[in-house]
Amino acid sequence: MGRDLANAFPLARQTFEEANDALGFDLADLCFNGPEDQLRLTEFTQPAIFTVSVAALRVLAAAGTTADYLAGHSLGEYSANTAAGAIEFSAAVRTVRRRGQLMQQAVPAGEGAMAAVLGMQAEAVATLCQEASREVGAPVEPANLNAPEQTVISGATAAVERAVVLARERGAKRAVMLHVSAPFHCSLMQPAQDALAPVLQGIAFSPAKIPVVVNVDARLVTEAAELRDALVRQVTGAVHWTESMQLLIAQGVTTFVEVGPGKVLSGLLRQIDRSQKCAQVEDSAGVEKLVTVLSS
């Protein structure tokens, strides 16, 4: 992950070196060579994805590519804030690692879970979460409102499992448990949110030079204190991704660029609005293709 970018662009390689210095270990080697089981631990996954994303962002900026708006899904909101000039990369990568550690520690292994519910409206998913929570006596809540008929739920394992059964009974196309290390974006993450708040308070935030759509409210923000507050609240709050994309479309956005590993967000955008153009940049080929397309 990120090896091609680092090999092709000195600026990307420099980004990994900055991350190594900030974290005190060789993140670049972990990204490029593994081991995969260590890379899958959220305290390493989060700074790895963040660093690859910022490396790609910097390469695009150096090539003259600029954004009118920025948004990031969960962890990606840190990339958006960094791209907007709201937070410095070195402080952000340390914070992202700490975020991963705190999320992992918030709930003992096995006690929390997440599941994806497909082919059901978000309102119906919220209702069955409330029912499952009452039946089991433990929380389960919508965590990622990814697309009009794709919602990820999160909470106590027994409550999530009951919600999956209810979703299947009520006609969901699919309702599947996810392989995750913790129940993200739900009330069980309150200990992580409480511990992360002073960490974020301890780093400098500047007003965003480019408006950022924050996850928890699906609204455009540039003010420094509000950007910090949104990063705190998103630990337990749901990611309102559908509304965030609809907000940008309402602003007149017609071209979206997914920066960083994978193409998940591009797939979600097709479910939200198929008429929008979307490009992916995670390697040198993606950089070159985007620069060519935007300059033509």
Side-chain angles (χ1 to χ4, degrees):
M1 184 169 65
R3 184 203 296 267
D4 176 75
L5 275 174
N7 287 340
F9 302 102
L11 192 54
R13 188 159 56 250
Q14 177 188 324
T15 304
F16 278 101
E17 291 168 357
E18 287 180 37
N20 291 350
D21 291 342
L23 295 170
F25 67 89
D26 197 338
L27 179 69
D29 182 63
L30 182 60
C31 285
F32 303 162
N33 303 309
E36 188 173 346
D37 59 345
Q38 184 178 2
L39 193 55
R40 286 184 179 276
L41 296 174
T42 192
E43 70 167 289
F44 298 112
T45 308
Q46 293 198 27
I49 291 173
F50 172 70
T51 300
V52 174
S53 300
V54 172
L57 281 164
R58 287 177 168 180
V59 170
L60 288 175
T65 300
T66 57
D68 296 306
Y69 302 96
L70 295 158
H73 190 291
S74 187
L75 167 66
E77 194 166 309
Y78 284 81
S79 303
N81 274 276
T82 304
I87 45 179
E88 293 291 334
F89 173 70
S90 59
V93 75
R94 286 192 295 268
T95 304
V96 161
R97 188 190 183 200
R98 186 65 182 139
R99 178 181 186 264
Q101 291 171 330
L102 292 170
M103 285 179 157
Q104 190 67 65
Q105 296 164 4
V107 180
E111 293 187 14
M114 300 182 77
V117 180
L118 310 180
M120 179 175 280
Q121 292 291 323
E123 295 83 358
V125 176
T127 297
L128 64 85
C129 281
Q130 291 170 356
E131 292 181 27
S133 184
R134 283 197 300 269
E135 288 181 25
V136 176
V140 56
E141 303 150 17
N144 302 335
L145 290 84
N146 285 335
E149 294 194 352
Q150 183 187 131
T151 302
V152 173
I153 61 176
S154 181
T157 300
V160 174
E161 290 173 342
R162 178 56 183 157
V164 164
V165 171
L166 290 175
R168 290 169 179 166
E169 290 176 352
R170 295 177 189 182
K173 289 180 182 176
R174 289 188 72 199
V176 294
M177 301 295 289
L178 301 177
H179 297 290
V180 294
S181 57
F184 303 120
H185 297 290
C186 75
S187 56
L188 294 180
M189 285 287 112
Q190 191 64 52
Q193 179 167 308
D194 293 343
L196 185 64
V199 176
L200 284 164
Q201 198 63 43
I203 66 174
F205 274 70
S206 302
K209 297 173 185 175
I210 304 169
V212 176
V213 185
V214 299
N215 288 181
V216 287
D217 303 315
R219 66 186 180 90
L220 292 165
V221 175
T222 57
E223 207 272 324
E226 291 186 28
L227 291 168
R228 177 191 281 115
D229 177 62
L231 289 175
V232 173
R233 290 187 293 124
Q234 64 146 240
V235 178
T236 58
V239 177
H240 293 273
W241 194 249
T242 301
E243 289 179 66
S244 296
M245 295 301 98
Q246 290 171 339
L247 172 64
L248 290 176
I249 293 166
Q251 298 296 314
V253 175
T254 56
T255 301
F256 291 77
V257 181
E258 180 175 3
V259 179
K263 301 179 180 178
V264 171
L265 301 183
S266 301
L268 294 179
L269 184 62
R270 282 193 290 273
Q271 295 179 47
I272 295 167
D273 187 339
R274 281 194 163 273
S275 69
Q276 303 304 312
K277 290 182 285 186
C278 192
Q280 300 85 35
V281 178
E282 62 177 321
D283 54 22
S284 59
V287 171
E288 291 166 9
K289 182 178 180 180
L290 180 65
V291 171
T292 300
V293 169
L294 294 181
S295 63
S296 61

